[in-house]
Structure formats: C-alpha cells, structure tokens
C-alpha cells in the first residue's frame, strides 16, 4: 500500500500512471524484478469515481489479465 498526495486542478487534465512490480530483492535493479502491470488514468476520473476505483492492470505478456489495482481517493483540505 502506498499513499500519494497531489494537487487537483479542476480545469486541467492530470494524467496518472500506476506501475506495479513484484520486488523480491531490493538490492537488484528494477529491470531484474517482476513487472506485474500498469494502469493509466486521470485525476478527474479518480475524483469522479466516488472515491474508489478498481481496474484490471495491463501487461502485454498476459492479455487475459494480470491482476487488479484498487485505488481509494480522499480529499485533504489545506489547513493553513
């Protein structure tokens, strides 16, 4: 699980790409790890999804599917 905080600009298209790896040995370079898949979306799509999104990951080696990614969106208001 990884948390990411970012600014949301309603009038701007903000592309996001989530890349998932199976890392068995942190000492090896990323090229030596197992690529699970990726998902490309926009911040607006996440926000308009009602706070959650579940999608299939894309990996050309596995056209029938390689897993799911579940994303939870929470609004954080600036307290300053």
């Amino acid at each position: 699980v990884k948390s990411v905080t970012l600014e949301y600009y309603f009038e701007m298209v903000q592309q996001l790409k989530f890349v998932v790896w199976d890392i068995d040995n942190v000492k090896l370079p990323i090229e030596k790890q197992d690529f699970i898949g990726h998902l490309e979306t926009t911040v607006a799509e996440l926000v308009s999804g009602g706070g959650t999104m579940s999608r299939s990951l894309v990996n050309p080696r596995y056209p029938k599917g390689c897993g799911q990614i579940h994303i939870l969106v929470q609004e954080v208001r600036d307290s300053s």
Side-chain angles (χ1 to χ4, degrees):
V1 174
K2 178 73 175 168
S3 295
V4 178
T5 303
L6 53 95
E7 298 282 332
Y8 173 54
Y9 300 100
F10 181 78
E11 61 284 336
M12 180 187 300
V13 176
Q14 296 170 272
Q15 298 286 337
L16 294 174
K17 183 174 185 177
F18 297 92
V19 182
V20 181
W21 294 86
D22 177 14
I23 298 177
D24 294 320
N25 184 341
V26 296
K27 294 180 181 181
L28 293 177
I30 197 74
E31 299 82 23
K32 299 289 184 181
Q33 308 297 339
D34 295 321
F35 173 66
I36 303 298
H38 75 273
L39 171 71
E40 294 183 36
T41 188
T42 64
V43 174
E45 187 176 7
L46 293 176
V47 170
S48 68
T52 62
M53 173 188 275
S54 293
R55 295 283 192 276
S56 293
L57 293 168
V58 176
N59 184 331
R61 293 179 58 196
Y62 305 102
K64 292 186 177 183
C66 56
Q68 294 266 317
I69 186 169
H70 304 282
I71 302 168
L72 172 66
V73 179
Q74 294 179 315
E75 181 179 359
V76 178
R77 297 195 183 266
D78 187 8
S79 62
S80 58

